[in-house]
Amino acid sequence: MAEARHEPGRVPAIILAVLVHVAFIAVLVFGVDWQTREPAPVVAELWNSLPGVTPPPPPPKPEPAPEPKPQPEPPKPRPEPKPEPKVDKADIELKAKEAKRKQEEEKKKEEKRKEEEIKKETERKETEKKKMEDRRKEELRQQMLKQEAEVRQQALRDADAKIQARQQATAARNSLVNDYRGRIQAKIKPLIVGQPCAPLDNPEVEFEVRLMPTGMLLVDPHLKKTSGSAQCDQAIERAILRAQPLPLPPDTTLFADFRELNLKFRPNE
């Protein structure tokens, strides 16, 4: 035979069912008894005349309601203490490592930032130094250009002065040479006998002469242009020979201009 299984809650359920049935039976009994009772008789009094009606007294004045007393605030509930978190050693070590890693990263970032600032400052100083050097070089270059320009201008002024001096010397030399050539012409012309050249129509005669520093002729005069009359040409040649020594400037450096002379004559002028 199998052992009876014990079911929890079975006995309270049976008791509850019995109580419900008892209460239902009591309700039925008391309800029928209330419906079978006879009602009580009603009694009424008869009056010959109505008594004097007295007015009702005035209602009493209501007393002022007392002011409500301030109710004290209910005490605030104390916050329940939070349960302390369980300490996990591995979590603590992980957080410590993470904090150390972040600290190292921040340190590296700060070092990198300082290195970049130092680099920028160094570059700025190098740039400023280069600008100053370039400025000094440019100033030196400008000074050299200015000096070169001044030297060129001075050289041009010196060259102009030399040219002017040479021109003046040349002009003075030519003037002196022309002056002595005029003196030579003036010394020879009075010695020309005009009769052989008179019949001619204003002839022009040209002789080439070679002189020595003493003014004497090195060789006889050479006829380069004839008047058309041999007698007139010979008369002029004799006048040149008689005019020796011909006047020469005292400056021996001018003798090169008198070594060979072309003398032109118009005997009829």
Side-chain angles (χ1 to χ4, degrees):
M1 180 176 180
E3 185 180 356
R5 180 179 296 178
H6 176 71
E7 294 182 0
R10 184 176 181 181
V11 174
I14 294 172
I15 295 171
L16 181 61
V18 171
L19 291 176
V20 170
H21 283 81
V22 171
F24 181 70
I25 293 169
V27 170
L28 289 176
V29 171
F30 287 106
V32 173
D33 183 47
W34 175 76
Q35 292 292 336
T36 57
R37 288 182 183 178
E38 294 181 0
V42 178
V43 180
E45 294 182 0
L46 297 176
W47 296 81
N48 292 326
S49 62
L50 293 173
V53 178
T54 303
K61 293 182 179 180
E63 294 181 0
E67 294 182 359
K69 294 181 180 180
Q71 297 295 329
E73 293 183 358
K76 294 182 179 180
R78 293 182 180 179
E80 295 182 0
K82 295 181 180 180
E84 295 182 359
K86 294 182 180 180
V87 178
D88 190 354
K89 187 176 181 181
D91 190 22
I92 293 174
E93 291 179 354
L94 182 61
K95 289 181 179 180
K97 289 181 180 179
E98 184 67 18
K100 185 177 181 181
R101 184 183 64 81
K102 289 183 178 180
Q103 186 177 3
E104 290 178 352
E105 287 181 355
E106 292 295 330
K107 185 177 180 181
K108 288 180 180 179
K109 288 181 180 179
E110 183 66 18
E111 290 177 353
K112 186 176 180 181
R113 185 183 64 80
K114 290 182 178 179
E115 289 178 357
E116 289 179 353
E117 289 181 354
I118 294 171
K119 183 179 179 182
K120 288 181 180 179
E121 183 67 16
T122 303
E123 290 177 353
R124 187 186 66 80
K125 289 182 179 179
E126 290 294 331
T127 304
E128 290 295 329
K129 184 178 179 181
K130 187 176 183 300
K131 286 182 179 179
M132 292 181 64
E133 290 178 354
D134 293 341
R135 193 180 299 116
R136 284 196 296 268
K137 288 179 181 179
E138 181 64 20
E139 290 176 354
L140 290 174
R141 190 178 72 85
Q142 292 295 334
Q143 290 179 359
M144 291 179 64
L145 291 175
K146 185 177 180 180
Q147 292 177 356
E148 290 176 358
E150 291 177 352
V151 170
R152 285 195 299 269
Q153 291 178 358
Q154 185 62 38
L156 291 174
R157 288 194 293 268
D158 294 342
D160 291 340
K162 288 180 181 179
I163 291 172
Q164 291 179 1
R166 284 198 298 268
Q167 289 176 350
Q168 291 175 0
T170 301
R173 181 189 182 95
N174 293 336
S175 177
L176 187 60
V177 169
N178 291 332
D179 179 60
Y180 273 88
R181 284 183 178 181
R183 292 184 186 187
I184 291 172
Q185 294 275 1
K187 188 176 181 179
I188 295 172
K189 190 171 182 180
L191 300 177
I192 299 174
V193 178
Q195 293 179 356
C197 300
L200 302 176
D201 185 14
N202 194 19
E204 182 181 62
V205 182
E206 183 177 355
F207 280 91
E208 180 184 26
V209 296
R210 294 183 179 181
L211 299 177
M212 293 185 295
T214 58
M216 301 299 293
L217 272 66
L218 182 62
V219 293
D220 292 338
H222 172 66
L223 180 63
K224 293 186 68 176
K225 184 178 180 181
T226 180
S227 63
S229 171
Q231 294 178 353
C232 180
D233 297 340
Q234 291 173 2
I236 295 172
E237 183 179 359
R238 288 193 295 270
I240 293 172
L241 292 173
R242 285 199 298 270
Q244 296 182 90
L246 299 177
L248 295 177
D251 188 359
T252 57
T253 60
L254 300 177
F255 178 70
D257 294 326
F258 295 91
R259 189 183 301 277
E260 293 181 358
L261 289 176
N262 289 328
L263 301 177
K264 295 180 180 181
F265 298 97
R266 290 184 179 274
N268 294 336
E269 290 183 353

